Amino acid sequence: EAGVVQSPRYKIIEKKQPVAFWCNPISGHNTLYWYRQNLGQGPELLIRYENEEAVDDSQLPKDRFSAERLKGVDSTLKIQPAELGDSAVYLCASSSRPLAGGPGEQFFGPGTRLTVL
Amino acid sequence: SQQGEEDPQALSIQEGENATMNCSYKTSINNLQWYRQNSGRGLVHLILIRSNEREKHSGRLRVTLDTSKKSSSLLITASRAADTASYFCATGHTGANSKLTFGKGITLSVRP
């Protein structure tokens, strides 16, 4: 079974430029997450989707970040315009049905390392 | 915000020794999970322990959970060089806020 696929793996852009990340979750996983991981820190949730609905986007900086999950499968995360502080690794994860009311095991992609110059 | 706090921040041991990592958290949880991250890679799930469980084993891994102290520990027995990685605890919450909140991680180095 294929894991979570993300592209690109690396991206270097200049500030004020737009950038987009793509994620293909594990087949059959209804829940999709986007995380941001700064150097030396744990992942921080940006947005969570249940099928095509964004059910938790409270941590998404909506002035410059946007996300979509068309048809409840693939997802795209966009930053426009990028700022220096956006340099981080952007991780996508997916999971199947929640476990007894709580989040179950999450499967992570390899991430996209973004460098904003 | 990151709820889980791991301790120590870094750990260096000799191959064959046991490694113990601790995690403390602040609010009530549904479950607690441990993940491993090798350099430059995504996170890999290691083990999940529910709030009504006290101990769980998986291969060389042993996880304990003390909800009265709001703490968990991860024990890796007979460590190997391949165990060198960052380890994260993540607290799982229920309801509308059903999500994982990760700690900052522990860097484990296992010397051959």
Side-chain angles (χ1 to χ4, degrees):
Chain A
E1 179 183 87
V4 176
V5 179
Q6 289 188 248
S7 69
R9 291 294 312 278
Y10 304 91
K11 190 73 177 179
I12 301 174
I13 61 172
E14 294 193 345
K15 63 181 181 182
K16 300 185 181 179
Q17 294 299 306
V19 65
F21 315 121
W22 176 79
C23 172
N24 180 241
I26 291 174
S27 176
H29 281 191
N30 297 328
T31 309
L32 183 145
Y33 311 81
W34 282 103
Y35 290 89
R36 176 169 58 191
Q37 185 177 22
N38 292 310
L39 190 64
Q41 303 290 315
E44 293 186 319
L45 181 68
L46 292 173
I47 189 167
R48 172 169 67 100
Y49 281 94
E50 294 290 344
N51 298 306
E52 65 275 5
E53 181 183 1
V55 295
D56 184 356
D57 63 356
S58 57
Q59 300 303 311
L60 189 72
K62 298 182 185 61
D63 57 336
R64 296 183 301 107
F65 286 65
S66 64
E68 61 182 7
R69 189 182 184 195
L70 299 176
K71 300 180 182 178
V73 182
D74 294 3
S75 178
T76 303
L77 177 68
K78 298 179 181 177
I79 308 175
Q80 182 170 13
E83 297 179 351
L84 295 176
D86 295 331
S87 293
V89 176
Y90 291 83
L91 294 164
C92 178
S94 68
S95 66
S96 56
R97 187 172 302 179
L99 190 70
E105 174 185 356
Q106 293 184 16
F107 296 81
F108 283 80
T112 297
R113 183 176 297 277
L114 173 67
T115 302
V116 182
L117 303 175
Chain B
S1 62
Q2 298 186 304
Q3 180 180 199
E5 289 192 15
E6 294 95 341
D7 170 62
Q9 289 188 325
L11 182 61
S12 181
I13 59 174
Q14 199 74 32
E15 203 167 27
E17 294 180 338
N18 296 341
T20 300
M21 291 167 271
N22 303 299
C23 171
S24 60
Y25 57 92
K26 297 174 183 175
T27 62
S28 60
I29 60 173
N30 174 274
N31 63 62
L32 187 143
Q33 304 179 31
W34 286 89
Y35 287 78
R36 182 187 71 220
Q37 185 175 37
N38 291 90
S39 179
R41 304 245 181 124
L43 282 78
V44 174
H45 181 265
L46 295 176
I47 197 164
L48 179 154
I49 186 165
R50 294 185 174 91
S51 59
N52 61 354
E53 297 176 312
R54 291 297 166 258
E55 187 171 313
K56 205 162 182 180
H57 297 256
S58 177
R60 294 185 296 114
L61 305 180
R62 172 178 168 255
V63 169
T64 62
L65 179 64
D66 187 335
T67 54
S68 66
K69 295 181 179 179
K70 292 187 170 59
S71 67
S72 173
S73 68
L74 171 66
L75 169 67
I76 303 175
T77 60
S79 63
R80 305 167 181 168
D83 294 328
T84 295
S86 293
Y87 291 80
F88 296 89
C89 75
T91 50
H93 307 273
T94 58
N97 205 27
S98 178
K99 64 181 181 182
L100 286 180
T101 304
F102 287 83
K104 294 183 178 181
I106 298 171
T107 301
L108 173 65
S109 298
V110 181
R111 303 185 302 274

